[in-house]
Amino acid sequence: DGKKVPVPVALWKRFLQWQTTQQAPAYHVTSVSLEGDLDGDRAILAARVEIRVNRINEWVPVSLRMQTGNSVLVTTPTFKGSGEARPDTGIVDPTAGLRWWLKGRGLHELSFRLSVPVQRQNPGRRIQLALPTPAAAGTRLVLHVPGGPLRVAAAEGHGFASARLLNGNRTRIENHGLGDRVDLSWRSVAATEPEDVVLTSVAAIAVELNTESVVLKAQQRVRILKGQPGTITVQLPAGFELIDVQGEAIQEPQVDPDE
């Protein structure tokens, strides 16, 4: 009826506090940390997810995802935080991944281990894993892989990756700034990079002059000191054309028309 009703100050302050929490998102994931080892065609990862809940006394559903292909939860998640937690057992879609209910305003932490498939993509490997959305402010993956040295690459928009060779023929791969998905590839540098080639060469050139042209007869000895070159390129002097080439180790000589 338009009449003003006096409200106690303490009640008004509690209302304003409640209103502020309702305007903010129910929760946001502050960090995701994954660390583990490659075991055959799977990566066994220890996961730690920090979530900040903004609701004071409500159960909030949190989607962790952590699902790609046949990812498997190895251990039951353990909870640490200012409130309560329970798994969401009512999920109908198995591709939705992990979901938990959290209650209590403040910081919550879930820790668990999971087994993630690693694809073989000749000549390398690739791991993919869905992470919580919206993406956490801090995300990191550390993966220990047998062998090395390795060349690593994160998919565009999924952070920066680096590799460091460890003792015992192992490599530590780090991927920071993952966003909402792990998408990391690596391959052996030794298996894919060509070996350095070192040659030594001695040449003797004879010049024959006639009224119409100048003919150069060259004898060149090439010694391979390192590597296994498939081809050897010899630069002709400017304005000269190749007439003939002979040699015991020469097979299918070709002239580059652009040179």
Side-chain angles (χ1 to χ4, degrees):
D1 57 1
K3 294 182 179 180
K4 296 182 179 180
V5 178
V7 177
V9 174
L11 179 61
W12 178 249
K13 288 183 177 179
R14 287 199 300 271
F15 169 75
L16 291 178
Q17 185 181 28
W18 174 85
Q19 187 181 48
T20 300
T21 61
Q22 297 305 304
Q23 292 174 348
Y27 74 93
H28 62 271
V29 180
T30 59
S31 70
V32 176
S33 176
L34 303 165
E35 183 166 356
D37 300 278
L38 181 67
D39 184 8
D41 286 335
R42 304 192 73 85
I44 309 301
L45 302 175
R48 183 172 60 85
V49 184
E50 290 185 348
I51 308 106
R52 182 167 294 279
V53 174
N54 300 317
R55 299 290 186 262
I56 295 177
N57 194 30
E58 299 178 24
W59 282 102
V60 175
V62 177
S63 176
L64 302 178
R65 302 212 298 169
M66 298 286 181
Q67 181 72 31
T68 297
N70 58 340
S71 300
V72 178
L73 193 64
V74 178
T75 62
T76 301
T78 59
F79 169 75
K80 181 172 65 174
S82 55
E84 304 174 65
R86 58 181 173 84
D88 186 348
T89 57
I91 301 176
V92 178
D93 183 6
T95 63
L98 297 176
R99 278 170 54 97
W100 277 69
W101 290 88
L102 300 178
K103 183 179 181 181
R105 187 179 184 185
L107 193 63
H108 302 255
E109 181 180 301
L110 292 169
S111 300
F112 49 92
R113 290 172 63 84
L114 68 161
S115 174
V116 182
V118 176
Q119 308 168 39
R120 292 184 179 271
Q121 295 185 337
N122 190 41
R125 309 292 293 275
R126 183 182 186 186
I127 182 172
Q128 294 176 296
L129 182 67
L131 299 181
T133 55
T139 50
R140 182 187 74 145
L141 166 67
V142 176
L143 183 63
H144 296 97
V145 177
L150 302 176
R151 174 170 292 178
V152 298
E156 184 177 357
H158 295 283
F160 171 77
S162 62
R164 178 164 57 91
L165 193 61
L166 305 176
N167 294 332
N169 193 31
R170 301 176 72 227
T171 299
R172 176 187 173 95
I173 300 175
E174 292 194 28
N175 190 183
H176 294 265
L178 307 169
D180 63 356
R181 177 165 53 95
V182 174
D183 194 345
L184 177 71
S185 303
W186 66 91
R187 56 189 175 91
S188 172
V189 175
T192 58
E193 295 297 318
E195 183 182 9
D196 291 338
V197 174
V198 179
L199 306 175
T200 181
S201 174
V202 177
I205 301 176
V207 180
E208 294 183 359
L209 301 176
N210 56 46
T211 57
E212 297 181 355
S213 63
V214 177
V215 178
L216 300 182
K217 292 185 177 180
Q219 184 179 49
Q220 187 173 29
R221 294 182 179 272
V222 179
R223 183 182 178 189
I224 301 173
L225 301 179
K226 180 183 177 182
Q228 296 180 342
T231 60
I232 295 177
T233 302
V234 177
Q235 187 77 34
L236 297 179
F240 283 73
E241 296 180 358
L242 181 67
I243 299 175
D244 186 25
V245 60
Q246 297 178 357
E248 294 181 0
I250 295 177
Q251 297 180 359
E252 300 179 353
Q254 296 179 353
V255 177
D256 188 344
D258 296 330
E259 297 294 335

